[in-house]
Structures are given as C-alpha cells and as structure tokens.
Amino acid sequence: NHYGCGIDENTIKESADAVVRLGLRDAGYVYVNIDDCWMTDKRNSDNELVPNPVRFPHGIKFLADYCHHKGLRLGIYSSSGTKTCAGYAGTLNYEEIDAKTWARWGVDYLKLDNCYHDLVSNQARYGRMRDALNATGRKIYFSICNWGEVSVWEWAGEVGNSWRTTGDISDNFDSMRDIFKFNANLAQYAKPGGWN
C-alpha cells in the first residue's frame, strides 16, 4: 500500500480520477480500494465503525457515490480481529453491524485482514463475515487476507471471492517473482468467482 496510513478523501478521489483519465477503467480496472487507517479507533454508540472525520470529512458513502458516478467501485478494508493491523477498530464480533454499514454506504469490495484475531479460527472468522455480507443483499466482493495461513486455498473458495496465499509483497522484482512461483503451484484451486 503506497500511502500507508497517509490516506484521505482527496487521495481516494484523485486515485479514482486517475483510473478513469489513464484509461484503466476501460481496460477493466474498476476497483478503488481504501486500505487500513480510514476509521477511528473507537466505534460509535450504535457500535458502527466511524470514518476519520478529519481525513474523510464527507464519509465513505460520499466516496462510494463519487466512484459509482465514474463507473468505478469502492473497496474498503478491515481486519477479522479486534483491531486492524494499524490498531484501529476491527470487525471480530461485529460482522453483521459492519456488513450492514458497508452495504448502506455502497461499498463494493471488502479486504478483510488477519490481525488481532484472538485465536479464533480462520474459517470461523471469515465464514461469519461471508454470512454477514450475504445477508445484506448487496453484492460485495470478499477478499480474504489471511497471508496464506492454514492452506487458505483449500477452503476459501467456499467463503470468499479471492484470498491471499502469501505474506505481503515487497516493492521489488524478487518478491513478485517468488509470489508468482508459489502461486503457480496453486492454480488448480482458482476458478471463476474464487481466485488465489
């Protein structure tokens, strides 16, 4: 993630604008995803996640509408634990509330990370979120980011639309090559609707 925690509303809008301006949307790149650090570290009185009011003053629905108007889709980040990897409010035990919130905002994609999971099994955590997303009635692409733990490729096809099979990629060719080589051996687990 190029921006780390230095993300804000204008960065997301500028990214969406660039995807369209550079012709990437027309080439099939339609998702603009917000990674970690978009939220506050506490939930509101209804136990809902709250966008950082300084960096996202108009909220996430505003950005979803902005992207949709441009023919794009908006993605959001959370973690399947009590906190995100950067220490913000996580999703564990709030799956239904968070899924409903994201659906109400018009979110189209969820990247669900693996930090601070309190030793709750991967299948249980990600399965609960799958069920919560499906219950909203909104089609939200579900990306499982558990770093390849517990042979995710063997079970995630029944849970999400894509899954990470390794740890983070680094900004160099060797990292990309190593991840490619690892994934070449997992091709049989990928299929339309479920990708390594």
Side-chain angles (χ1 to χ4, degrees):
N1 162 354
H2 172 75
Y3 299 104
C5 283
I7 57 171
D8 59 26
E9 185 175 285
N10 287 331
T11 301
I12 302 305
K13 287 173 60 183
E14 290 168 3
S15 296
D17 294 343
V19 168
V20 174
R21 184 180 68 254
L22 297 171
L24 297 171
R25 177 195 60 197
D26 297 335
Y29 295 91
V30 296
Y31 288 101
V32 176
N33 294 346
I34 306 170
D35 213 314
D36 203 348
C37 307
W38 62 266
M39 72 288 277
T40 61
D41 60 349
K42 303 258 190 297
R43 292 173 174 270
N44 68 17
S45 60
D46 293 323
N47 285 322
E48 295 173 328
L49 293 168
V50 178
N52 181 298
V54 173
R55 290 187 281 124
F56 295 91
H58 296 99
I60 302 303
K61 180 167 180 14
F62 168 81
L63 288 172
D65 292 346
Y66 188 88
C67 287
H68 295 158
H69 179 71
K70 294 184 169 292
L72 300 171
R73 298 177 185 150
L74 183 74
I76 200 107
Y77 167 96
S78 190
S79 182
S80 61
T82 56
K83 295 188 281 191
T84 70
C85 296
Y88 293 90
T91 293
L92 187 62
N93 300 318
Y94 295 98
E95 291 87 356
E96 288 182 20
I97 292 170
D98 292 349
K100 287 177 185 175
T101 301
W102 296 322
R104 188 176 74 245
W105 290 345
V107 167
D108 305 291
Y109 181 111
L110 170 64
K111 172 189 172 185
L112 194 62
D113 218 329
N114 195 34
C115 292
Y116 300 100
H117 54 68
D118 287 355
L119 301 180
V120 176
S121 79
N122 280 266
Q123 290 92 329
R125 286 180 288 116
Y126 291 105
R128 286 197 310 239
M129 182 53 77
R130 172 207 54 211
D131 295 344
L133 291 171
N134 289 343
T136 69
R138 179 172 182 79
K139 185 178 178 185
I140 298 176
Y141 187 100
F142 185 25
S143 176
I144 296 169
C145 182
N146 83 332
W147 321 319
E149 290 183 355
V150 295
S151 301
V152 63
W153 49 88
E154 293 179 354
W155 55 267
E158 302 299 319
V159 180
N161 302 107
S162 63
W163 46 90
R164 284 263 302 269
T165 57
T166 67
D168 288 344
I169 190 169
S170 298
D171 189 13
N172 63 68
F173 183 79
D174 288 344
S175 177
M176 182 190 71
R177 184 199 61 227
D178 292 347
I179 289 172
F180 170 80
K181 286 168 127 180
F182 182 80
N183 278 284
N185 297 317
L186 302 177
Q188 70 269 23
Y189 297 102
K191 64 184 184 305
W195 306 103
N196 289 319

